[in-house]
Amino acid sequence: ERRFNIPHLTDIFKDLQPIPSTFCLRSRTPVSEDFADGYPSDAKWHGYINNNDRVLLKVIHYSSPTSAGAECIGPGCTWVEQWVHRAGPREKIYFKPEKVNAAIVTCGGLCPGLNDVIRQIVITLEIYGVKNIVGIPFGYRGFTDKGIKEMPLTRKVVQNIHLSGGSLLGVSRGGPTTKEIVDSMEERGINMLFVLGGNGTHAGANAIHDEVRKRRMKVVVVGVPKTIDNDILLLDKTFGFDTAVEEAQRAINSAYIEAHSAYHGVGLVKLMGRSSGFIAMHASLSSGQVDICLIPEVPFHLHGPHGVLRHLKYLLDSKGSAVICVAEGAGQNLIQKTNAKDASGNMILGDIGVHIQQEIKKYFKEIGIPADVKYIDPTYMIRAVRANASDGILCTVLGQNAVHGAFAGYSGITVGICNTHYVYFPIPEVISYPKVVDPNSRMWHRCLTSTGQPDFI
Ligand code: ATP
Ligand code: MG
């Protein structure tokens, strides 16, 4: 790899003093003789990022191994430092803009901000001087499905797409194998691929990166993490999350009004969060109207002296109404497993919202107390809204940085915001497992303080 003089991420760390628990990233660069020494960029950016620039992701001194969160470090070690690569334009680029054939694909479910990211990628590519940009419609399927035609993209096409939610390109689950995707890329001459999607999509992007390396193609694959659940490791937050929390709050507010206006009213809101309860936790924290927040990370019982239902009775007795917020992945042990999978191979979860609704009705009927349950599932309404202002800005920066990363010759990377700075990560570092709410974290404890709920176990 060295002989092609490609910016080599591991080099960046070779002169660093050893620090306990320092976290270094592995190389994620393509191999191609064409890369030579790079070319000076014609596009003039206001200042360049040096390949040696690093962002301190995390530095924390635990005064004792039992401090909150300290279990993530080794015995006797009380310092943690983590460094990552700073994102942004480089002085030397590794593609001649006139030779670039860029493609953008969006996969998985919808998330506010997809159009904002597509738009920024196209605009930034054009500023670099790229003329050939296409969108691959309907996710990875668009590479191989005969009836799907690629969509030429220009600034004019994308100018106003961020004004509505969804994805201009459409999304899908499942689809062709990695080999079929790379064959199709070779046929189309695509040498820059931007992939917007969640963990599944990124696993796919990483496999594409490995395959193009194996075939020694001069191709870069750059991801932009799309997860409304905010469940990507190491990143401060992912685009769409902020918007989702804001919309979720509206649903909670409606549930509160419904509950409050009924005799013994119970407002039940199911929110997104297959494996992590960030949306439910943050929406509960921000609305201040939730009495019980249930997330996948924290087990609970419905029945029994310490169960949710007994507490609900206490709430109806004492305040007259109650609001419950439950994440879709919570309490899966309480409902029958379906073993069904979606087209991408993800488990289809049982509906915990409907289950809790039925159990509440049954319980209050049995004890002879009236309860008026209103169940709200705002999932699809939330996913389809356009990004709010803060997500709009995040999408803009991520989209621009994806293009800068591609021109800098980085491949198999994804862009993100860490510790308030914008950075590049090797894909495997962030998708090895989903980020979850730590039940011992201060944030979860703050949520419990806010709702006033006991442990349901
Ligand atoms: P969401 O957060 O909305 O679930 P996702 O990216 O995880 O987004 P998936 O449906 O799991 O959504 O995957 C999207 C695409 O990635 C699908 O086309 C699927 O075939 C592909 N994919 C999923 N997992 C892998 C994998 N391990 N290797 C290669 N491709 C994958
Ligand atoms: Mg997924």
Side-chain angles (χ1 to χ4, degrees):
E1 288 178 16
R2 290 293 163 78
R3 82 199 153 88
F4 304 127
N5 196 17
I6 295 164
H8 197 301
L9 302 194
T10 43
D11 279 353
I12 297 170
F13 297 103
K14 73 176 190 286
D15 299 325
L16 286 182
Q17 294 300 316
I19 312 165
S21 297
T22 296
F23 172 93
C24 298
L25 301 181
R26 288 171 284 119
S27 161
R28 301 299 296 181
T29 46
V31 178
S32 167
E33 309 226 23
D34 299 341
F35 273 60
D37 286 326
Y39 325 103
S41 169
D42 279 342
K44 292 291 167 246
W45 309 101
H46 303 284
Y48 295 97
I49 302 295
N50 191 296
N51 273 328
N52 289 321
D53 287 357
R54 285 159 293 136
V55 169
L56 186 53
L57 168 60
K58 181 174 182 183
V59 54
I60 182 161
H61 179 241
Y62 297 105
S63 53
S64 103
T66 56
S67 299
E71 63 277 2
C72 62
I73 54 176
C77 173
T78 50
W79 280 97
V80 172
E81 288 194 19
Q82 297 179 336
W83 297 90
V84 274
H85 299 274
R86 201 173 158 210
R90 268 52 177 175
E91 206 158 4
K92 262 188 193 170
I93 55 174
Y94 288 82
F95 281 91
K96 292 227 158 95
E98 61 275 15
K99 288 195 179 168
V100 169
N101 288 312
I104 307 172
V105 63
T106 56
C107 316
L110 289 183
C111 175
L114 280 168
N115 280 336
D116 302 62
V117 178
I118 295 171
R119 178 174 182 270
Q120 280 303 321
I121 290 175
V122 172
I123 289 174
T124 312
L125 282 167
E126 283 199 351
I127 291 175
Y128 267 102
V130 177
K131 297 273 186 293
N132 300 314
I133 312 167
V134 296
I136 306 292
F138 301 112
Y140 288 138
R141 272 175 202 285
F143 277 110
T144 52
D145 276 21
K146 289 279 174 289
I148 302 178
K149 282 210 159 52
E150 59 186 35
M151 184 190 292
L153 297 175
T154 59
R155 180 187 267 267
K156 201 169 162 211
V157 173
V158 298
Q159 188 61 40
N160 295 318
I161 60 172
H162 62 305
L163 300 180
S164 60
S167 165
L168 170 76
L169 303 175
V171 291
S172 74
R173 299 194 188 274
T177 63
T178 304
K179 284 203 165 60
E180 288 167 338
I181 294 172
V182 177
D183 288 347
S184 163
M185 286 172 63
E186 261 192 300
E187 236 169 67
R188 297 165 196 246
I190 293 168
N191 52 10
M192 251 186 211
L193 177 64
F194 297 94
V195 181
L196 282 53
N199 49 358
T201 308
H202 273 72
N206 199 50
I208 297 170
H209 162 82
D210 288 341
E211 181 65 23
V212 296
R213 267 184 98 142
K214 209 165 92 196
R215 299 190 194 182
R216 301 183 66 79
M217 292 159 65
K218 187 186 176 181
V219 169
V220 286
V221 184
V222 176
V224 183
K226 171 230 62 143
T227 156
I228 202 165
D229 295 348
N230 199 31
D231 58 352
I232 300 251
L233 285 175
L234 304 171
L235 305 186
D236 290 358
K237 68 170 177 182
T238 46
F239 74 83
F241 175 69
D242 220 70
T243 309
V245 170
E246 207 170 289
E247 285 299 307
Q249 237 201 126
R250 279 188 235 283
I252 291 173
N253 190 39
S254 301
Y256 171 75
I257 301 283
E258 286 285 349
H260 197 65
S261 309
Y263 176 61
H264 278 186
V266 178
L268 173 61
V269 181
K270 186 179 80 170
L271 295 175
M272 294 86 82
R274 288 176 62 83
S275 44
S276 28
F278 287 104
I279 293 183
M281 176 173 80
H282 282 247
S284 299
L285 273 165
S286 62
S287 81
Q289 288 165 319
V290 172
D291 300 292
I292 300 174
C293 177
L294 303 170
I295 60 172
E297 297 86 342
V298 180
F300 61 91
H301 290 306
L302 286 177
H303 299 277
H306 302 293
V308 171
L309 297 171
R310 184 68 71 88
H311 184 61
L312 194 56
K313 178 179 176 295
Y314 162 77
L315 290 169
L316 294 192
D317 287 345
S318 55
K319 337 181 350 185
S321 67
V323 176
I324 306 177
C325 173
V326 59
E328 62 177 321
Q332 287 297 308
N333 57 319
L334 306 177
I335 37 187
Q336 215 167 5
K337 272 215 172 77
T338 58
N339 279 335
K341 294 195 169 159
D342 69 13
S344 297
N346 304 305
M347 282 291 248
I348 294 179
L349 300 178
D351 195 329
I352 185 68
V354 170
H355 178 74
I356 292 180
Q357 181 194 21
Q358 288 164 350
E359 292 300 305
I360 295 172
K361 283 183 178 167
K362 250 198 306 189
Y363 173 77
F364 284 97
K365 201 170 166 197
E366 273 165 22
I367 61 173
I369 295 176
D372 192 351
V373 191
K374 303 279 170 39
Y375 175 44
I376 300 179
D377 179 353
T379 305
Y380 289 113
M381 296 190 69
I382 294 177
R383 291 181 1 159
V385 300
R386 67 174 279 203
N388 68 8
S390 123
D391 273 331
I393 296 169
L394 179 58
C395 291
T396 300
V397 183
L398 295 178
Q400 292 183 3
N401 280 336
V403 177
H404 294 315
F407 267 101
Y410 292 128
S411 180
I413 59 155
T414 196
V415 296
I417 181 167
C418 286
N419 198 17
T420 72
H421 296 280
Y422 296 94
V423 298
Y424 296 134
F425 269 116
I427 290 174
E429 302 287 345
V430 291
I431 60 160
S432 45
Y433 51 92
K435 182 172 83 172
V436 293
V437 173
D438 177 356
N440 292 316
S441 64
R442 308 284 304 129
M443 213 52 167
W444 176 244
H445 291 168
R446 288 173 189 128
C447 186
L448 297 181
T449 303
S450 169
T451 60
Q453 74 196 65
D455 287 342
F456 296 117
I457 220 77

